[in-house]
Amino acid sequence: MKRLSLFGAATAILIATGAQANEFGDAEDGAKIYRKCRACHMVGPEAFNRTGPQLNGIFGRAAASVDGFRYSDGLTRMGNDGLVWDFDTLDAYIENPKAFASDTRMNFPGVKDADERADLLAFLRQYSDKPRDIPEAAPTATPREVDLSDEILAIVGDPEYGEYLASECTTCHQLDGDNDGIPAIVGWPEEDFVVAMHAYKEKFRPHPVMQMMAGRLSNEEIAALAAYFGGLE
């Protein structure tokens, strides 16, 4: 008997939720919804892979196919089985990433409102329908969550010191990159790590434990942790 592929399981989810040929929403409103995504994903002429893959050309793209990005085994198998991102598959994934692909590295609770998802997908489609026109599209450069000085961003962290400091981090975050209930931080780009920690330190990100932990760290210690975790695979 042929095994039930992960792609087949995802198709079953689409059928169960009644997803079908939905209509796109308002791209302008979708740009506002995209703020929930931009801490990890970029889109537009300067987009590159960050914690999540860049999203240019996502419509019609096979799942787990962006060069240079490390995907979960599950999404990789789904892509190999033929999963292609279109409105319905993206709609289901964005609504509940863990239900769509249980081992996804995308630690995001989902966008539950169907109209908001339709708006978000309308926004993203602008960067897929005519990829040759991306440079002429409205700019979507991703601003940093917090405004850090060049001096802070220029600090070169000591990975050995970072390893020494990491013991408190690894009581929750797993060194094997697993994100079962806790976001994975292994392999993060160093600048993304630094920005995220300063966002907690300045209480921009609303997580009291992380706010407390980051608040005890100096700029040099944050840079050291970023260098250590960024160098892990």
Side-chain angles (χ1 to χ4, degrees):
M1 179 180 293
K2 185 177 181 180
R3 67 181 176 84
L4 176 62
S5 68
L6 287 172
F7 179 35
T11 303
I13 291 172
L14 291 175
I15 294 172
T17 57
Q20 56 176 343
N22 292 297
E23 294 183 0
F24 288 95
D26 183 277
E28 187 172 334
D29 288 341
K32 300 172 185 175
I33 305 301
Y34 174 70
R35 294 171 186 168
K36 299 179 181 180
C37 315
R38 67 187 187 187
C40 298
H41 295 278
M42 295 184 72
V43 67
E46 304 298 328
F48 53 85
N49 296 334
R50 302 183 72 196
T51 308
Q54 59 85 9
L55 300 177
N56 290 334
I58 192 168
F59 281 86
R61 188 166 83 196
S65 63
V66 172
D67 290 340
F69 187 78
R70 178 190 168 205
Y71 291 92
S72 67
D73 291 341
L75 272 180
T76 299
R77 286 193 295 270
M78 293 168 84
N80 291 337
D81 283 341
L83 176 64
V84 173
W85 294 123
D86 59 17
F87 186 102
D88 291 335
T89 53
L90 284 168
D91 183 64
Y93 185 49
I94 293 169
E95 180 180 13
N96 191 334
K98 292 292 186 184
F100 191 92
S102 61
D103 74 338
T104 180
R105 298 176 65 222
M106 181 166 154
N107 196 65
F108 178 66
V111 178
K112 305 308 179 187
D113 185 275
D115 290 336
E116 288 188 357
R117 294 197 305 274
D119 292 341
L120 174 61
L121 293 175
F123 169 74
L124 293 176
R125 186 176 63 164
Q126 297 176 115
Y127 302 94
S128 291
D129 284 352
K130 297 179 180 179
R132 67 182 181 279
D133 293 338
I134 285 176
E136 286 73 47
T140 58
T142 305
R144 297 190 183 103
E145 294 177 80
V146 289
D147 188 17
L148 300 180
S149 68
D150 292 338
E151 288 76 14
I152 290 177
L153 294 172
I155 296 173
V156 177
D158 179 351
E160 291 186 2
Y161 184 37
E163 183 176 11
Y164 168 76
L165 295 170
S167 59
E168 288 191 346
C169 305
T170 55
T171 58
C172 296
H173 299 280
Q174 301 179 51
L175 287 176
D176 62 3
D178 192 3
N179 64 350
D180 185 15
I182 301 292
I185 56 177
V186 169
W188 263 28
E190 291 184 36
E191 183 174 313
D192 288 357
F193 188 102
V194 169
V195 169
M197 292 302 290
H198 279 277
Y200 286 122
K201 191 171 184 175
E202 297 183 21
K203 295 182 169 53
F204 183 86
R205 287 194 176 196
H207 191 293
V209 174
M210 286 301 303
Q211 288 174 354
M212 176 188 69
M213 298 291 288
R216 301 201 306 238
L217 297 171
S218 68
N219 296 339
E220 289 73 18
E221 288 171 330
I222 290 174
L225 287 167
Y228 171 61
F229 284 110
L232 298 178
E233 296 183 358

